[in-house]
């Protein structure tokens, strides 16, 4: 429910109309003081200012009175029309205030508070044709979102955006953790993070996490509710100044966005926090997405899963047909038996469908999404899974053959639905689409949205690999569950120099994971074994650059409602540590980030949804670390047992990654746990009520 505006709207409108009248009469004054409007967060700490200066529209941002963003330009360049940028004057301002709490069907937290003050500033060109648009700011205690709204008007109907002029003029040469956005590569989001001062950035992806040099403020720039627009990257200052520019991914013909008024852009979001540990869980973007359009969400259920998957990545199985074909009926049944016996919810089967033979990226338009290879009986496997109470997750790799996929969507989804299959892992391994559009442009944004809507219609949950970054779609479509969109565990399978360094997951938590869940695919126990594939690996290097205990801790640290136990079933046999993967929850009521430093370490505690147990995950980079953790988050007066999976004696990611010490001890809200993490190590703890 919308709360009443804090001030009488009539009075406000009167004041601003008065300002407008004065400014119209005195144009010079208007550009200086008259046309400056402000809106602050409910706690008063964050304040956005919108102003017109020399006919151009700017916004700026302060926290506790200190400038974070200096006046930053707003506007657009258009094809075949003058830019929507110059000769502007203030037309009107309106305000609103909201304080409401809503519940997620699943998530990192059950309840989310949307508490913000809104300011809408409408502007128009003074000269003919007098085109109009508005910027709407919503200022929360945890940051700011703003978007453009372009009303239907005689002088602006169809338009083509060639550049969005939005700037983020940082007041401080903050330290940034970033991945590049301008690498024309298959793995464009799947890079290792770099850290450097903002002033040297070239082109980077969002969410972009920044820390001011005095360490007082953490700033995350991203976007929310990307529906029919191009994805936003940021073009950096490249040594000059500190201003980041919105950078939109193009259509094949170079146009960034095609639109028709009335039109709204995605929200540009600036999350703010005093400490890195306050950045997560991040709900700013969720609050800027519309509520769920799916009435009945009871069929949408988080789960753990195993899959015919790691074998392909280490080279012992193939997606393509032949003697090593992974997706055989017999193999799928073996995985289903394993999932049923261990209580894991689902089984993913990759390479089941015709199209994988030869170069599957070249042949992307040959993928069938209904026809299985002869050695895989889809209907029989689906039945078998159903009888065992296990969900069969269907794999749809498109390789960027979008039209090929869209042509088959209805028949494929209808088939899966008829077989009782309600989860898909999709994939988009490709740089450009076969039509030549950017992987991240408006064409692909429309495609991903189309698939989400179709999947919702057929009652299907989605786990998207090679996605567009998460902009909070899951609030409106809770069947959009998890996605990749970062460098995951698969890089460790390929070995050599390509694996993930020990610090990787401690950066992911404060960057990529702030936009939404990630299908990182943790749980590799086969850390040391020699690889079976072509590219040679230095024999002294482990395949996975973590200890085994850290693999367990990642289940708690890197949130995903679809969480894989990524290793081969045989590698979990006779492994006491596997019990943690069986036990750990995948849906959370509460999340507390207890300790954290970007690139160094993270300690997170989460309470399971609809249950009393807590799970704690601690991970470190290549440094050994100790933590003293008060368990004051536990219910007072209640007795619990902590089941602790710690790095064992001498554990070290490089030289001795496997030792895990499993122990139990009684704990309660007054206990302080002393955690010792090995280099590249971690610790996973289940805290359950004492029996
Ligand atoms: C890349 C995905 O990230 C990976 O999980 C999948 O196995 C391959 N594409 C094949 O679709
Ligand atoms: Ca991938």
């Amino acid at each position: 429910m919308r709360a009443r505006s804090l001030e009488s709207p009539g009075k406000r409108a009167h004041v601003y109309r008065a300002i407008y009248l004065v400014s119209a009469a005195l144009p010079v004054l208007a550009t200086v003081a008259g046309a400056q409007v402000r809106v602050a967060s409910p706690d008063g700490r964050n304040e956005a200012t919108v102003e017109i200066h020399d006919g151009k529209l700017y916004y700026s941002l302060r926290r506790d009175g200190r400038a974070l963003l200096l006046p930053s330009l707003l506007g657009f360049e258009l094809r075949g029309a003058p830019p929507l940028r110059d000769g502007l004057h203030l037309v009107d301002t309106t305000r609103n205030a909201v304080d409401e709490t809503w519940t997620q069907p699943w998530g990192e937290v059950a309840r989310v508070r949307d508490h913000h003050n809104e300011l809408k500033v409408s502007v128009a060109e003074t000269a003919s044709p007098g085109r109009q648009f508005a910027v709407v700011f919503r200022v929360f205690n945890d940051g700011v979102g703003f978007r453009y709204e372009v009303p239907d008007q005689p002088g602006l109907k169809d338009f083509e955006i060639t550049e969005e002029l939005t700037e983020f003029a940082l007041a401080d040469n903050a330290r940034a953790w970033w991945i590049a956005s301008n690498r024309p590569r298959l793995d464009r989001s799947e890079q290792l993070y770099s850290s450097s001062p903002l002033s040297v950035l070239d082109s980077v992806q969002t969410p972009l996490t920044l820390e001011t040099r005095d360490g007082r403020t953490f700033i995350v720039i991203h976007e929310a509710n990307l529906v029919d627009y191009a994805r936003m990257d940021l073009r950096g200052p490249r040594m000059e100044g500190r201003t980041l520019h919105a950078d939109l991914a193009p259509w094949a013909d170079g146009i960034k966005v095609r639109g028709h008024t009335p039109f709204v852009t995605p929200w540009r979001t600036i999350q703010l926090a005093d400490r890195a540990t306050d950045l997560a869980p991040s709900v700013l973007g969720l609050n800027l997405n519309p509520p769920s359009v799916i009435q009945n969400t009871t069929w949408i259920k988080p789960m753990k899963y195993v899959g015919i998957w790691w074998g392909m990545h280490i080279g012992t199985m193939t997606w393509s047909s032949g003697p090593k074909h992974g997706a055989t009926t017999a193999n799928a049944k073996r995985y289903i038996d394993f999932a049923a016996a261990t209580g894991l919810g689902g089984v993913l089967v990759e390479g089941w469908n015709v199209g994988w033979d030869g170069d599957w990226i070249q042949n992307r338009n040959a993928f069938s999404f209904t026809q299985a290879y002869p050695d895989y009986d889809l209907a029989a496997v689906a039945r078998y899974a159903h009888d065992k109470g296990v969900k069969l997750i269907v794999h749809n790799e498109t390789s960027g053959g979008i039209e090929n996929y869209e042509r088959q969507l209805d028949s494929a989804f209808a088939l899966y639905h008829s077989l009782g299959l309600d989860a898909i892992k999709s994939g988009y391994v490709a740089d450009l689409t076969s039509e030549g559009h950017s992987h991240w442009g408006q064409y692909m944004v429309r495609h991903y949205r189309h698939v989400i809507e179709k999947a919702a219609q057929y009652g299907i949950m989605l786990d998207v690999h090679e996605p567009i970054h998460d902009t909070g779609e899951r609030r409106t479509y809770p069947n959009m569950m998890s996605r990749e969109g970062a460098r995951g565990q698969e890089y460790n399978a390929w070995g050599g120099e390509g694996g993930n360094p020990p610090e990787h997951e401690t950066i992911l938590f404060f960057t990529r994971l702030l936009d939404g869940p990630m299908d990182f695919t943790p749980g590799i126990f086969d850390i040391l074994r020699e690889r079976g594939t072509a590219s040679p690996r230095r024999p002294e290097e482990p395949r996975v650059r973590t200890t085994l205990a850290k693999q367990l801790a990642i289940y708690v640290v890197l949130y995903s409602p679809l969480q894989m136990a990524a290793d081969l079933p045989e590698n979990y046999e006779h492994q006491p540590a596997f019990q943690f993967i069986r036990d750990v929850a995948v849906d959370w009521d509460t999340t507390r980030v207890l300790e954290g430093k970007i690139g160094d370490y993270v300690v997170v505690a989460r309470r399971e949804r609809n249950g009393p147990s807590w799970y704690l995950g601690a991970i470190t980079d290549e440094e050994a670390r100790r933590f003293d953790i008060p368990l004051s988050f536990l219910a007072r007066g209640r007795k619990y047992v902590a089941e602790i999976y710690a790095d064992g004696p001498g554990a070290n990611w490089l030289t001795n990654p496997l030792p895990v010490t499993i122990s139990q001890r009684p704990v309660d809200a007054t206990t302080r746990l002393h955690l010792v993490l090995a280099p590249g190590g971690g610790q996973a703890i289940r805290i359950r009520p004492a029996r």
Side-chain angles (χ1 to χ4, degrees):
M1 241 230 286
R2 296 224 139 197
R4 244 162 34 87
S5 174
L6 295 177
E7 292 165 90
S8 132
K11 183 180 144 215
R12 273 280 152 195
H14 178 75
V15 169
Y16 289 113
R17 220 161 290 131
I19 288 172
Y20 168 54
L21 288 176
V22 171
S23 38
L26 297 166
V28 178
L29 250 189
T31 61
V32 183
Q36 217 182 48
V37 241
R38 298 170 197 275
V39 55
S41 52
D43 66 2
R45 294 186 64 194
N46 306 325
E47 186 185 57
T49 301
V50 182
E51 65 193 304
I52 293 178
H53 192 74
D54 285 340
K56 291 190 170 69
L57 186 63
Y58 297 87
Y59 76 100
S60 52
L61 185 61
R62 302 174 83 80
R63 181 168 169 90
D64 302 330
R66 193 168 67 117
L68 292 181
L69 292 183
L70 302 173
S72 305
L73 187 66
L74 296 164
F76 299 95
E77 284 176 4
L78 305 172
R79 180 155 85 173
L84 205 51
R85 178 191 59 196
D86 304 317
L88 301 172
H89 66 264
L90 185 73
V91 173
D92 195 16
T93 62
T94 54
R95 285 171 190 271
N96 191 21
V98 167
D99 187 2
E100 60 186 32
T101 297
W102 54 280
T103 302
Q104 307 203 77
W106 51 265
E108 261 179 299
V109 289
R111 280 159 301 281
V112 178
R113 184 175 180 189
D114 175 358
H115 191 196
H116 70 260
N117 291 325
E118 179 181 294
L119 167 70
K120 177 172 174 174
V121 180
S122 300
V123 298
E125 290 171 326
T126 304
S128 173
R131 295 171 301 176
Q132 297 185 18
F133 67 97
V135 280
V136 179
F137 278 81
R138 289 193 186 161
V139 186
F140 303 77
N141 295 345
D142 59 346
V144 176
F146 68 90
R147 74 175 178 190
Y148 298 88
E149 298 185 358
V150 191
D152 182 28
Q153 54 197 292
L156 193 49
K157 297 287 184 193
D158 290 320
F159 60 85
E160 292 180 330
I161 297 174
T162 52
E163 206 74 74
E164 181 185 320
L165 298 171
T166 306
E167 292 178 347
F168 303 86
L170 281 121
D172 178 77
N173 192 10
R175 179 173 175 194
W177 282 264
W178 56 272
I179 51 176
S181 62
N182 56 356
R183 306 234 171 104
R185 297 167 25 172
L186 296 177
D187 57 355
R188 67 197 73 63
S189 284
E190 302 175 7
Q191 301 167 40
L192 295 176
Y193 279 79
S194 301
S195 168
S196 56
L198 160 79
S199 56
V200 306
L201 297 190
D202 185 354
S203 289
V204 296
Q205 302 189 28
T206 73
L208 177 70
T209 302
L210 301 152
E211 178 183 0
T212 57
R213 273 174 306 172
D214 60 9
R216 269 176 68 186
T217 310
F218 289 81
I219 304 168
V220 182
I221 301 175
H222 188 47
E223 63 179 317
N225 198 27
L226 172 60
V227 178
D228 189 9
Y229 202 80
R231 158 183 152 140
M232 181 179 76
D233 293 313
L234 297 168
R235 218 168 46 245
R238 295 190 191 89
M239 305 301 205
E240 295 163 38
R242 297 165 193 160
T243 299
L244 299 163
H245 301 262
D247 189 13
L248 305 180
W251 290 80
D253 63 1
I255 295 295
K256 303 288 173 59
V257 175
R258 307 188 131 83
H260 184 90
T261 57
F263 189 83
V264 298
T265 67
W267 295 90
R268 277 65 189 94
T269 59
I270 304 153
Q271 195 192 338
L272 301 172
D274 300 330
R275 294 169 304 191
T277 48
D278 293 339
L279 289 172
S282 173
V283 297
L284 178 68
L286 289 174
N287 276 328
L288 292 166
N289 274 267
S292 175
V293 294
I294 301 178
Q295 301 301 331
N296 170 16
T297 56
T298 51
W299 57 275
I300 303 175
K301 290 203 184 84
M303 64 174 156
K304 287 171 278 189
Y305 70 100
V306 288
I308 298 181
W309 178 77
W310 183 249
M312 281 81 128
H313 289 273
I314 60 173
T316 58
M317 296 177 189
T318 59
W319 286 280
S320 54
S321 60
K324 292 204 288 181
H325 187 213
T328 64
T329 301
N331 215 9
K333 288 184 174 173
R334 186 166 70 85
Y335 275 69
I336 291 165
D337 288 342
F338 177 76
T342 55
L344 299 179
V347 172
L348 164 74
V349 179
E350 294 204 0
W352 65 276
N353 57 319
V354 168
W356 290 93
D357 294 299
D359 182 333
W360 45 273
I361 297 179
Q362 286 288 312
N363 301 337
R364 53 186 162 189
N365 291 319
F367 273 118
S368 167
F369 297 99
T370 51
Q371 200 193 335
Y373 277 120
D375 53 354
Y376 185 74
D377 185 338
L378 177 65
V381 174
R383 235 181 357 258
Y384 191 80
H386 179 263
D387 291 347
K388 295 257 169 166
V390 169
K391 286 197 185 272
L392 178 64
I393 303 172
V394 185
H395 186 230
N396 285 178
E397 173 61 59
T398 66
S399 299
I402 301 308
E403 287 180 5
N404 178 51
Y405 190 39
E406 288 195 355
R407 233 185 345 260
Q408 299 182 54
L409 272 186
D410 272 299
S411 52
F413 287 11
L415 170 69
Y416 309 153
H417 185 71
S418 74
L419 295 173
L421 308 178
D422 64 3
I424 291 177
K425 172 182 169 180
S426 58
Y428 293 85
V429 175
D431 186 24
L432 300 175
T433 71
S434 43
E435 300 76 21
H437 306 300
S438 158
H439 194 118
W440 290 336
Q442 187 178 19
Y443 174 87
M444 285 300 282
V445 170
R446 285 179 179 169
H447 167 74
Y448 286 108
R449 178 58 65 135
H450 178 60
V451 176
I452 294 173
E453 290 173 5
K454 271 272 175 254
Q457 187 187 321
Y458 285 97
I460 290 172
M461 298 178 265
L462 289 173
D463 172 13
V464 182
H465 278 230
E466 297 79 38
I468 294 188
H469 56 203
D470 195 322
T471 71
E473 289 78 6
R474 65 191 180 283
R475 179 167 184 198
T476 315
Y477 285 97
N479 64 315
M480 177 61 251
M481 303 200 74
S482 197
R483 52 184 108 193
E484 190 188 37
R487 195 185 183 94
Q489 183 95 273
E490 60 188 14
Y491 281 77
N492 297 329
W494 310 334
E497 299 307 305
N500 302 325
E503 68 167 7
H504 183 57
E505 298 85 2
T506 70
I507 303 175
L508 281 181
F509 181 83
F510 295 105
T511 53
R512 160 65 182 81
L513 272 287
L514 297 178
D515 78 29
M518 179 183 174
D519 188 27
F520 178 84
T521 72
I524 295 300
F525 281 19
D526 171 26
I527 288 173
L528 290 172
R529 205 179 66 177
E530 282 303 314
R531 304 173 65 238
T533 44
S535 59
R537 182 174 67 83
R538 297 221 311 278
E540 72 273 18
E541 279 244 328
R543 167 183 288 150
V544 176
R545 294 166 185 171
T546 72
T547 64
L548 199 145
K550 181 170 170 179
Q551 287 292 314
L552 301 180
I554 292 172
Y555 283 87
V556 185
V557 174
L558 297 184
Y559 169 63
S560 180
L562 300 175
Q563 195 69 288
M564 191 175 198
D567 212 332
L568 307 172
E570 50 269 36
N571 291 337
Y572 292 132
E573 268 159 35
H574 315 298
Q575 288 276 10
F578 181 59
Q579 188 60 40
F580 184 81
I581 299 180
R582 296 182 61 177
D583 291 337
V584 66
V586 278
D587 193 13
W588 306 107
D589 180 273
T590 309
T591 288
R592 301 266 174 84
V593 186
L594 305 173
E595 299 272 357
K597 192 155 186 289
I598 308 178
D600 291 349
Y601 55 87
V602 189
V603 183
V604 188
R606 305 191 197 258
R607 182 162 73 77
E608 64 185 345
R609 186 95 177 236
N610 302 320
S613 295
W614 285 78
Y615 292 83
L616 189 144
I619 61 172
T620 177
D621 62 0
E622 65 291 338
E623 301 273 332
R625 301 193 194 267
R626 292 164 179 271
F627 300 99
D628 251 318
I629 304 293
L631 302 186
S632 49
F633 49 82
L634 296 177
R636 302 238 145 244
R638 190 159 191 174
K639 298 281 171 216
Y640 295 83
V641 173
E643 300 171 357
I644 301 169
Y645 299 73
D647 288 318
N652 180 305
W653 70 274
L654 182 61
T655 55
N656 190 24
L658 299 181
V660 178
T661 300
I662 305 175
S663 61
Q664 291 201 355
R665 57 168 286 193
V667 295
D668 61 30
T670 66
T671 308
R672 295 181 80 91
L673 278 187
H674 188 62
L675 275 49
V676 181
L677 276 58
Q683 192 165 134
I685 306 176
R686 175 189 189 210
I687 306 174
R688 58 160 176 85
R691 280 189 270 270

